[in-house]
Amino acid sequence: MWFDQRAGRVTASTFREAARAENSSSLVKRVCYPRASHFSTEATRWGLQKEDTAREAYLMVMQDLHTDLQVAASGLIINPELPWIGASPDGVVTCACHAPGIFEIKCPFSAKDRALGECVKDSRFCLTDTKEGGRTLKEDHGYMYQVQAQMRVAEVQYCDFVVWTPQELFIQRIESDRTFFDDAYLRVVNFIRTGILPELLGKWFTVPRLSPTSTSENTPEGCYCGMPAGNPDNVLSCISKRCKRKNFHKSCLKLSRIPKRWLCLECKKQTK
């Protein structure tokens, strides 16, 4: 269900990419086929493993600063005013002294054996030193785009941005910046119109445009998303003996029902 609801929606984690994309076929595929594009690396596994520890550390610090502070899981949020984007903050935070907000936790694998003071020297790291001697999330980093999108979708005014390492805990309360969001959102909408909608409606980025001289030899193998077939229960095969793609993910096809005999788009065009 989580993957299905994300399919075709620009999520907060891809908000910066979508705002800067120029019909990126790789990003279009990731947005339209999130299940097929799902991946796991040592860095992502580290982040998942340490998230609960980071949440507990965040809660311990914030409980001393706020009255009756509570945190709860969030899940995927879809705002009816912005149905084509979604956000999954790591949680919702409430207290008796402030309005509700959200929090986003990062457990960077690159910082597991280094102090944050060392990490900020890396231009790719999300934090930077301030002139006042503190640290802050970089204005142009993907995480800033992520939390601003999360706040807009969730309709809250702040996000506690948390960076956890085995040695340190960094917490920054970031306020909603509607100007920042609106500027990025206009560019995201353009990406949706020129990239996501053409793919959802006509497989524009995954099906070759056939000409009178096109042959099946020009057609790539496998599902439109480009990922391996995987679980046989999620595979639907084209009945054409000449089909080069042959096997497709049911989750990518988004069919309202699964037919017993089915022709893919390319084979349908070639039979006309």
Side-chain angles (χ1 to χ4, degrees):
M1 177 66 74
W2 187 77
F3 283 112
D4 291 340
Q5 291 299 320
R6 282 169 56 99
R9 284 192 173 94
V10 172
T11 56
S13 59
T14 57
F15 204 68
R16 182 178 184 268
E17 287 183 85
R20 298 188 172 197
E22 293 291 341
N23 293 343
S24 166
S25 60
S26 61
L27 181 57
V28 167
K29 289 179 182 179
R30 280 193 285 131
V31 171
C32 292
Y33 313 110
R35 189 185 300 273
S37 303
H38 182 64
F39 65 93
S40 176
T41 65
E42 188 176 8
T44 58
R45 289 191 293 272
W46 165 267
L48 289 173
Q49 291 168 3
K50 301 303 179 182
E51 188 173 301
D52 287 344
T53 302
R55 183 182 287 104
E56 291 174 6
Y58 162 75
L59 187 57
M60 288 183 62
V61 170
M62 299 302 280
Q63 281 178 332
D64 290 338
L65 303 174
H66 299 268
T67 304
D68 193 25
L69 184 130
Q70 303 288 330
V71 298
S74 168
L76 178 65
I77 302 173
I78 299 172
N79 189 321
E81 295 181 4
L82 307 164
W84 35 86
I85 64 176
S88 302
D90 286 319
V92 176
V93 56
T94 59
C95 66
C97 46
H98 294 87
I102 58 174
F103 62 91
E104 179 65 24
I105 295 171
K106 302 298 179 184
C107 304
F109 185 72
S110 62
K112 70 183 184 70
D113 298 317
R114 296 192 297 167
L116 289 179
E118 183 68 22
C119 293
V120 296
K121 297 176 183 178
D122 186 340
S123 61
R124 296 168 298 179
F125 197 66
C126 59
L127 303 180
T128 187
D129 289 329
T130 65
K131 295 179 180 179
E132 294 77 19
R135 294 194 180 105
T136 185
L137 174 61
K138 291 177 178 176
E139 182 86 4
D140 63 344
H141 197 277
Y143 292 160
M144 179 61 80
Y145 283 77
Q146 180 181 13
V147 298
Q148 290 295 338
Q150 288 175 341
M151 286 186 278
R152 177 65 182 92
V153 171
E155 295 186 339
V156 297
Q157 294 304 309
Y158 68 87
C159 173
D160 286 339
F161 181 72
V162 182
V163 178
W164 177 93
T165 76
Q167 300 82 23
E168 298 175 69
L169 181 70
F170 171 86
I171 303 173
Q172 179 182 359
R173 178 154 291 190
I174 298 174
E175 296 184 355
S176 176
D177 185 338
R178 184 59 68 88
T179 301
F180 183 103
F181 173 84
D182 288 346
D183 178 67
Y185 179 67
L186 288 175
R187 289 175 278 141
V188 170
V189 169
N190 183 64
F191 170 72
I192 292 171
R193 288 173 176 168
T194 60
I196 302 304
L197 289 180
E199 176 62 21
L200 293 177
L201 296 174
K203 305 293 183 186
W204 188 261
F205 292 89
T206 49
V207 175
R209 304 297 101 191
L210 296 179
S211 67
T213 58
S214 296
T215 68
S216 61
E217 294 179 358
N218 305 123
T219 305
E221 297 182 8
C223 185
Y224 301 129
C225 66
M227 302 299 290
N231 184 359
D233 293 335
N234 187 37
V235 172
L236 182 63
S237 298
C238 177
I239 61 173
S240 173
K241 294 181 179 180
R242 295 189 298 175
C243 182
K244 191 171 182 180
R245 287 188 180 275
K246 200 61 182 176
N247 296 318
F248 301 77
H249 299 115
K250 295 176 183 177
S251 55
C252 291
L253 296 173
K254 300 294 180 185
L255 299 174
S256 57
R257 63 181 184 85
I258 304 301
K260 293 182 179 180
R261 294 171 59 81
W262 177 78
L263 281 172
C264 70
L265 289 176
E266 291 104 320
C267 293
K268 278 184 179 179
K269 290 178 180 179
Q270 290 174 356
T271 57
K272 290 182 179 180

